[in-house]
Amino acid sequence: MWCLELLLPLLLIIKDVSGQWNVWIPRDISAMTNSCVVIPCTFMYPSGIRLHYGIHGIWYFGQPYPQLFPPVVFKTRTEIVHESYQGRTKLIGDLHQRNCTLLISNIGTEHSGRYYFRADLGGANIYTYPDFSELKVLDQPNIDIPEEIVADENLELTCYAPDNCPENSPEIQWMYTDYLPEPEYTSDYVAESNTAVLSSTLTFTPRPMHNGQLLGCRVSYPNTTLVYERLISLDVKYAPRSVWVNVSAEVMEGSSVTLHCEVDSNPPPRISWLFGDQELLWDTASNASLSLDDLTPSQEGIYTCVGDNGYGVMNTSMYLAVLYPPSEPVVNGSLTILEGSSISLQCSTQGNPTPTLTWLKDGELVGSITAAEVSVLELLKLNPQGDGQYRCLAENEHGRASSSLNITVEYAPVLLDESKCTVVREGVQCVCMAMGNPEPIIEFYLPDKNITVNDTDGRYNYYTHTDGHTSTGMIKLREKGERLGNGAVNVHCSISNMYGSESFHLELQQEKKYMMAVIVGTIGGVAVIAFIIAAVRYVGHNNKKENGNPGQDLVSKLENPALYYSTVKKDKQCLRKKVLKTELLGSKFNSILEESTGEDGDYQPVGSMADLERQELNYAALEFLGGRSRDGGASGRGDDGSDYTEIKAK
């Protein structure tokens, strides 16, 4: 207020050099509600005007023209004023000194607006000055806040309180500053547009944590109850200081997952979800979520959330693992190699977690089990036993898969031990067996005749058969001239394929066994026949002793058929028991002989005695009809007087 006291005398000495109507008043002036305000005013009028009735003045509110009937704020001729100003206004200037300063007390916000002064010099010398002073009535102090408050940058906040009331001078105090780091306070007295304003400046360095914090400015007038406060919330701009995302996760193939990202920054950032260099999603917000459906292994990898709000950039990444069973392994194609070669079999697959790889050959484990996506099986110097199917099996906790290949080992032919010549009923049978890959070609050569026997020659019952890598050839030599004089044979077997050929002489390996079988069979047959004859004679002799006079008994038996039948039946049963073993031994020996020689007279191995014992027993029935033959059989009386008859098998 002290500046007004100095300013008014200066305004009063200003002369109207031009002699025109003119007024000086502050364009803007402010005051607190319920306080007072002084509007400084100095006016001029033309110097040629004679003041006969003195000088009068009128203050209008809102409009300068009386015909529009603006509210009268103050009038020197009368106390009639607008009701809102009744008892509130006072002219504190001397109009004769061209001082039109106005005091308004106990003002309210409704008094804010434009104020115009009108000079009445008498007669027609009445003039309303177009210039005005605009009053702003405040219910709280002003705080000058920068357009932008940036974290970690120095900040000044200024609180203003008008000092345009001569009755009271304001005091300013800052509130809620305890949390501020090292705040500083400065005060100043500012005159703007010839009005007085008291200011207080708060200086500090804000941090991101101060965003949203409250600060306050309190204006009070000593010795009054007038207190005015204003609170502000700090809008501190700061770069992203934290980016939160899901922790790294493991999900199954085909499932869904949602990735969340939250960014702490002011203003809210532009959030981007990146997979590699590809932007999958963006949004301007404090958080963003990325949804992934029907996941595939190709979506496994690093996902990055990036926050950018213009004040800085920050990002955080997470790893998304997609679990899935092993894929079908990729292996070499099937191979054909030469015996003695070495190869490497490679198997590769993909799976999560990493699968184990196992090599199997024809179902059997070969090599070692490895926990990797690639496995190499080294096969060194392969022989024919290395031929077969190789399978690579990939397994993890979510499934298994396998792939196979075939390794074919080719090699020169090899003669098998089963190759031989054997004596058969028609002559000599020669068999030649060989293994090789490709399958060997078999030919027979008869040096004595200089003949090569193969599938084009039908004279020797040439036969050939192939089973896998095994070839079998067979011929029969029917003519005796094709055998050597000492019983030996001279047959050569030739085996060949693309990798080699060989010729071998076939031995007659089983000739002695065959001759032994013939000799044993002949001697055994004679012994059996002699034993049967002796047994028959013995039975006949016993019957003679038991029957007494056979002729008389026979007559009586014929006369009594029932008695005859009973006697014959009894004799037959007794004879069965005696002759049974004899006939059995004979029949068995004959069967052994037949089995030894075979259908074509070939020698065959003899079975064990246990086999003989398991055979079904045969029996013979004897029928005694005296000297008369039945069914054309031979019967008669021997030299010793005993009856005899022919033995027939039932």
Side-chain angles (χ1 to χ4, degrees):
M1 195 61 194
W2 58 272
C3 68
L4 292 178
E5 296 174 354
L6 296 176
L7 182 61
L8 287 176
L10 294 176
L11 294 176
L12 293 176
I13 64 174
I14 296 176
K15 302 298 184 181
D16 184 13
V17 178
S18 61
Q20 300 297 323
W21 297 95
N22 200 358
V23 69
W24 182 94
I25 54 178
R27 183 61 178 250
D28 296 291
I29 193 170
S30 60
M32 305 303 297
T33 57
N34 299 319
S35 66
C36 66
V37 63
V38 173
I39 302 176
C41 177
T42 299
F43 67 96
M44 302 296 175
Y45 55 86
S47 58
I49 296 177
R50 298 291 182 262
L51 301 177
H52 299 289
Y53 304 102
I55 301 175
H56 296 278
I58 303 174
W59 282 92
Y60 291 120
F61 175 76
Q63 293 289 339
Y65 307 109
Q67 61 270 26
L68 297 179
F69 304 104
V72 176
V73 176
F74 177 81
K75 189 174 185 180
T76 57
R77 289 182 180 272
T78 177
E79 294 183 358
I80 299 175
V81 296
H82 190 272
E83 60 182 357
S84 62
Y85 293 97
Q86 192 71 40
R88 297 173 184 248
T89 58
K90 179 181 179 182
L91 190 66
I92 60 174
D94 186 355
L95 294 180
H96 291 87
Q97 298 295 324
R98 302 181 183 184
N99 185 347
C100 52
T101 300
L102 178 66
L103 170 65
I104 305 176
S105 302
N106 195 23
I107 59 175
T109 55
E110 69 275 12
H111 298 135
S112 296
R114 295 179 177 182
Y115 288 82
Y116 297 87
F117 178 70
R118 178 181 177 86
D120 183 359
L121 304 182
N125 298 316
I126 301 175
Y127 184 80
T128 301
Y129 297 95
D131 294 336
F132 61 87
S133 179
E134 185 163 357
L135 173 63
K136 294 180 180 178
V137 181
L138 308 175
D139 57 0
Q140 60 181 3
N142 283 329
I143 298 179
D144 187 7
I145 305 173
E147 292 184 0
E148 185 176 77
I149 302 175
V150 181
D152 302 321
E153 294 184 6
N154 194 54
L155 173 64
E156 290 185 353
L157 300 177
T158 302
C159 179
Y160 298 94
D163 188 14
N164 296 315
C165 180
E167 299 175 0
N168 298 292
S169 294
E171 292 182 355
I172 300 177
Q173 181 182 5
W174 286 95
M175 302 183 298
Y176 309 118
T177 59
D178 295 342
Y179 61 87
L180 298 181
E182 301 178 355
E184 297 179 359
Y185 306 93
T186 58
S187 297
D188 194 10
Y189 202 85
V190 180
E192 294 182 357
S193 301
N194 296 316
T195 60
V197 177
L198 179 65
S199 67
S200 177
T201 300
L202 170 64
T203 304
F204 68 99
T205 301
R207 301 283 186 261
M209 67 179 67
H210 298 143
N211 182 52
Q213 294 284 354
L214 292 178
L215 276 178
C217 174
R218 173 180 291 172
V219 175
S220 62
Y221 290 87
N223 302 320
T224 68
T225 58
L226 300 178
V227 177
Y228 308 91
E229 294 180 352
R230 182 180 177 184
L231 298 178
I232 63 170
S233 176
L234 295 178
D235 184 15
V236 181
K237 310 295 184 183
Y238 57 93
R241 60 175 181 169
S242 67
V243 178
W244 177 90
V245 298
N246 309 61
V247 296
S248 295
E250 294 181 345
V251 294
M252 281 299 300
E253 179 183 16
S255 62
S256 301
V257 68
T258 300
L259 308 183
H260 299 283
C261 177
E262 294 183 6
V263 180
D264 180 10
S265 70
N266 186 34
R270 181 186 187 274
I271 297 179
S272 302
W273 270 108
L274 303 178
F275 180 58
D277 296 330
Q278 180 184 5
E279 185 177 67
L280 304 179
L281 171 74
W282 72 269
D283 190 14
T284 301
S286 59
N287 60 79
S289 297
L290 174 65
S291 295
L292 301 174
D293 299 321
D294 195 18
L295 284 168
T296 63
S298 63
Q299 292 174 285
E300 176 173 340
I302 298 175
Y303 289 79
T304 303
C305 176
V306 180
D308 183 358
N309 68 345
Y311 294 93
V313 180
M314 180 175 281
N315 66 77
T316 299
S317 300
M318 56 93 58
Y319 191 87
L320 180 65
V322 180
L323 305 179
Y324 56 98
S327 60
E328 182 178 353
V330 178
V331 298
N332 311 60
S334 294
L335 300 172
T336 298
I337 64 172
L338 183 61
E339 179 183 14
S341 301
S342 299
I343 60 172
S344 297
L345 303 183
Q346 189 175 61
C347 174
S348 61
T349 185
Q350 289 184 336
N352 194 7
T354 302
T356 59
L357 296 178
T358 305
W359 280 101
L360 303 172
K361 177 185 180 295
D362 298 328
E364 298 293 331
L365 177 66
V366 291
S368 58
I369 300 175
T370 58
E373 292 187 346
V374 177
S375 176
V376 177
L377 177 63
E378 299 287 348
L379 300 177
L380 305 177
K381 297 181 180 179
L382 281 171
N383 54 31
Q385 285 70 37
D387 191 287
Q389 183 187 70
Y390 290 79
R391 184 164 66 102
C392 178
L393 175 64
E395 295 178 289
N396 67 10
E397 59 190 77
H398 302 294
R400 61 168 55 186
S402 66
S403 294
S404 302
L405 72 151
N406 290 317
I407 299 296
T408 302
V409 180
E410 295 188 338
Y411 54 97
V414 177
L415 187 70
L416 300 183
D417 294 338
E418 290 82 352
S419 300
K420 60 187 176 182
C421 288
T422 306
V423 176
V424 295
R425 181 177 300 174
E426 293 86 350
V428 175
Q429 177 177 283
C430 294
V431 177
C432 182
M433 297 182 67
M435 288 186 64
N437 191 13
E439 295 83 359
I441 298 173
I442 296 179
E443 294 181 336
F444 293 93
Y445 176 64
L446 306 179
D448 299 334
K449 292 189 175 185
N450 194 24
I451 295 176
T452 298
V453 181
N454 52 33
D455 56 358
T456 62
D457 194 333
R459 291 178 298 168
Y460 297 95
N461 284 354
Y462 178 84
Y463 167 80
T464 184
H465 173 70
T466 300
D467 183 8
H469 298 160
T470 302
S471 296
T472 302
M474 182 178 67
I475 62 171
K476 288 186 178 180
L477 306 178
R478 299 184 178 86
E479 301 177 7
K480 294 183 179 180
E482 295 167 349
R483 300 173 58 181
L484 300 179
N486 57 1
V489 294
N490 189 13
V491 177
H492 290 257
C493 171
S494 175
I495 56 177
S496 64
N497 66 10
M498 61 186 296
Y499 296 109
S501 63
E502 287 189 79
S503 180
F504 301 91
H505 179 261
L506 299 180
E507 297 290 341
L508 187 61
Q509 297 180 5
Q510 310 219 12
E511 192 171 20
K512 296 180 179 180
K513 295 181 181 180
Y514 176 77
M515 295 302 296
M516 181 62 69
V518 172
I519 295 173
V520 171
T522 303
I523 296 174
V526 173
V528 168
I529 294 173
F531 186 79
I532 293 175
I533 294 174
V536 170
R537 293 178 63 85
Y538 175 77
V539 171
H541 180 70
N542 288 342
N543 286 337
K544 179 180 179 181
K545 290 180 179 182
E546 292 175 359
N547 295 334
N549 188 352
Q552 185 178 355
D553 292 341
L554 179 61
V555 173
S556 62
K557 290 175 180 177
L558 291 176
E559 293 176 355
N560 189 350
L563 179 60
Y564 168 74
Y565 175 77
S566 175
T567 303
V568 172
K569 183 176 180 182
K570 178 178 180 182
D571 293 340
K572 288 171 64 179
Q573 290 175 349
C574 180
L575 186 59
R576 281 195 189 105
K577 296 179 181 178
K578 295 179 181 179
V579 179
L580 182 58
K581 289 186 179 180
T582 303
E583 183 180 11
L584 175 61
L585 291 175
S587 63
K588 283 300 177 181
F589 191 86
N590 289 331
S591 64
I592 290 171
L593 184 60
E594 291 177 359
E595 290 176 359
S596 301
T597 58
E599 295 180 358
D600 297 332
D602 298 341
Y603 172 76
Q604 301 295 336
V606 179
S608 65
M609 289 304 297
D611 294 334
L612 297 177
E613 294 174 359
R614 285 195 296 266
Q615 295 293 332
E616 181 182 359
L617 298 180
N618 297 321
Y619 64 92
L622 301 180
E623 297 181 358
F624 297 93
L625 302 177
R628 188 162 53 94
S629 173
R630 295 187 62 186
D631 300 327
S635 63
R637 182 177 299 273
D639 296 335
D640 55 357
S642 62
D643 293 330
Y644 68 92
T645 186
E646 181 182 7
I647 300 173
K648 293 184 179 180
K650 287 291 188 177

